[in-house]
Amino acid sequence: AQSVTQPDIHITVSEGASLELRCNYSYGATPYLFWYVQSPGQGLQLLLKYFSGDTLVQGIKGFEAEFKRSQSSFNLRKPSVHWSDAAEYFCAVAMNTGGFKTIFGAGTRLFVKA
Amino acid sequence: DTEVTQTPKHLVMGMTNKKSLKCEQHMGHRAMYWYKQKAKKPPELMFVYSYEKLSINESVPSRFSPECPNSSLLNLHLHALQPEDSALYLCASSQGRAGGVETQYFGPGTRLLVL
């Protein structure tokens, strides 16, 4: 069965420090992978996606993610975190099964300390 | 215009009420989705419409009734809900190309409280 695991429920980093959020997926076919960010009480905003091609993908707000097939991972990184990055981050895997279906990980809550 | 709008922003209803949530997009997308998100949990897919036809129903109770009157509009009719149905209800849309995997655009959600 398809699944997405985000092993860290929450992470705290200092402003200006680097960030890595982990994501592992389980899917038998070629994965289509996404990272979304959600501020409290808000909808989801797409940060970046991987469908094929270059395994290092760039997104908005200075985020990037690297797809590693051998590790079934799609970790999100940012070299220098800003206080405004504090939010919930969701990794997701998508498939087309007669209708487009997305499965989300449990999420990682990012706290940024001054 | 890359926006998905949802109304109302907040809704409080009793267990005997009937209410509807509305979602609208004007991006020409042909696939639309309803998700339910409980506090501190990820979104869970409820329904998918593709070209105004229901293509996925994730075994959602019948007290939730979706409707897609046209390609721009998606409704979720609510009747006889339970307090545990209180959640953030998110709508999303995507281009709807057959066989493709696509980017979904999410609305801001409707915060529902059932008393």
Side-chain angles (χ1 to χ4, degrees):
Chain A
Q2 302 86 2
S3 66
V4 179
T5 302
Q6 293 179 248
D8 303 305
I9 296 173
H10 54 81
I11 281 182
T12 301
V13 298
S14 298
E15 192 170 18
S18 63
L19 170 70
E20 182 169 32
L21 302 182
R22 295 183 292 165
C23 172
N24 293 97
Y25 66 90
S26 172
Y27 184 50
T30 301
Y32 301 98
L33 298 160
F34 302 81
W35 275 100
Y36 289 90
V37 61
Q38 185 179 35
S39 297
Q42 301 296 312
L44 277 72
Q45 182 181 24
L46 179 70
L47 287 175
L48 47 78
K49 62 189 179 189
Y50 172 78
F51 285 3
S52 65
D54 193 347
T55 56
L56 184 64
V57 293
Q58 303 296 320
I60 62 170
K61 304 185 180 188
F63 285 93
E64 66 177 27
E66 187 170 12
F67 169 60
K68 292 186 178 180
R69 186 184 296 275
S70 61
Q71 297 176 22
S72 298
S73 69
F74 188 56
N75 294 347
L76 182 71
R77 301 194 291 250
K78 186 169 184 179
S80 178
V81 167
H82 188 263
W83 64 266
S84 60
D85 293 324
E88 188 87 24
Y89 291 80
F90 292 100
C91 181
V93 64
M95 62 215 78
N96 198 305
T97 57
F100 180 61
K101 184 172 175 177
T102 302
I103 296 174
F104 289 85
T108 297
R109 183 64 184 242
L110 174 64
F111 297 94
V112 180
K113 60 182 181 181
Chain B
D1 182 3
T2 58
E3 192 179 18
V4 176
T5 59
Q6 290 187 243
T7 54
K9 282 189 167 50
H10 303 275
L11 179 62
V12 180
M13 60 185 290
M15 289 189 283
T16 58
N17 292 158
K18 283 186 182 180
K19 298 286 185 184
S20 296
L21 309 184
K22 179 180 170 183
C23 173
E24 201 161 4
Q25 56 85 16
H26 296 287
M27 295 179 276
H29 289 174
R30 303 307 298 271
M32 297 186 78
Y33 313 78
W34 280 116
Y35 288 86
K36 174 181 178 181
Q37 187 179 23
K38 301 282 282 183
K40 300 188 189 301
K41 296 291 186 184
E44 294 179 347
L45 183 66
M46 299 174 73
F47 303 104
V48 180
Y49 272 84
S50 181
Y51 288 78
E52 294 96 67
K53 286 187 169 47
L54 184 65
S55 59
I56 294 179
N57 177 341
E58 292 287 281
S59 303
V60 179
S62 60
R63 57 186 185 268
F64 295 91
S65 175
E67 179 197 19
C68 190
N70 60 59
S71 59
S72 299
L73 192 54
L74 183 67
N75 298 319
L76 186 63
H77 303 297
L78 314 172
H79 174 54
L81 293 194
Q82 304 296 309
E84 59 264 28
D85 296 321
S86 299
L88 181 68
Y89 287 84
L90 294 164
C91 174
S93 70
S94 67
Q95 283 189 312
R97 295 168 298 173
V101 175
E102 306 175 326
T103 299
Q104 293 179 79
Y105 294 85
F106 283 83
T110 293
R111 177 77 60 187
L112 174 67
L113 178 62
V114 182
L115 300 176

